[in-house]
């Protein structure tokens, strides 16, 4: 699915987006627009990873060269493997 978020075309791999996910991506976009740092939190199972990856990759497509470094941290290797699988979907 493709939708517009404050002037940014966001490519989201699922047919439905929840209000919490939309708000999360809006906060993340505003952080990127401000060229700042962000610390966002949502409960387990709410789709944080897919939201983050969808928004950041869409932002990079729209603003080539502006977002050069993206750091994603996890506690374990299995968690990182899950993120890489989600990235393949995005």
């Amino acid at each position: 699915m493709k939708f517009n978020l404050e002037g940014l075309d966001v490519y989201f791999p699922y047919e439905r987006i929840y209000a919490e996910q939309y708000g999360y991506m809006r906060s993340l976009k505003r952080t990127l627009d401000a060229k700042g740092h962000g610390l966002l939190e949502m409960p387990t199972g709410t789709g944080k990873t897919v939201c983050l990856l969808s928004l950041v990759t869409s932002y990079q497509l729209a603003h080539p060269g502006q977002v050069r470094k993206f750091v994603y941290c996890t506690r374990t290797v299995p968690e990182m493997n899950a993120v890489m699988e989600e990235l393949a979907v995005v």
Side-chain angles (χ1 to χ4, degrees), residues 20-79:
E20 295 83 3
Q21 293 172 321
Y22 186 88
Y24 182 82
M25 286 193 272
R26 185 180 58 227
S27 296
L28 180 57
K29 181 189 178 295
R30 289 176 180 174
T31 299
L32 291 172
D33 286 343
K35 297 179 177 35
H37 299 280
L39 179 61
L40 303 173
E41 184 177 33
M42 280 175 55
T44 302
T46 54
K48 291 180 298 294
T49 302
V50 71
C51 289
L52 178 69
L53 295 174
S54 294
L55 191 283
V56 169
T57 55
S58 296
Y59 200 92
Q60 287 177 316
L61 283 172
H63 305 8
Q66 189 171 347
V67 180
R68 293 185 302 247
K69 185 187 286 188
F70 174 62
V71 178
Y72 191 99
C73 301
T74 64
R75 265 185 330 112
T76 66
V77 171
E79 288 174 354

Side-chain angles (χ1 to χ4, degrees), residues 79-90:
E79 288 174 354
M80 183 53 74
N81 289 338
V83 171
M84 296 309 292
E85 289 174 15
E86 195 75 60
L87 182 59
V89 173
V90 170

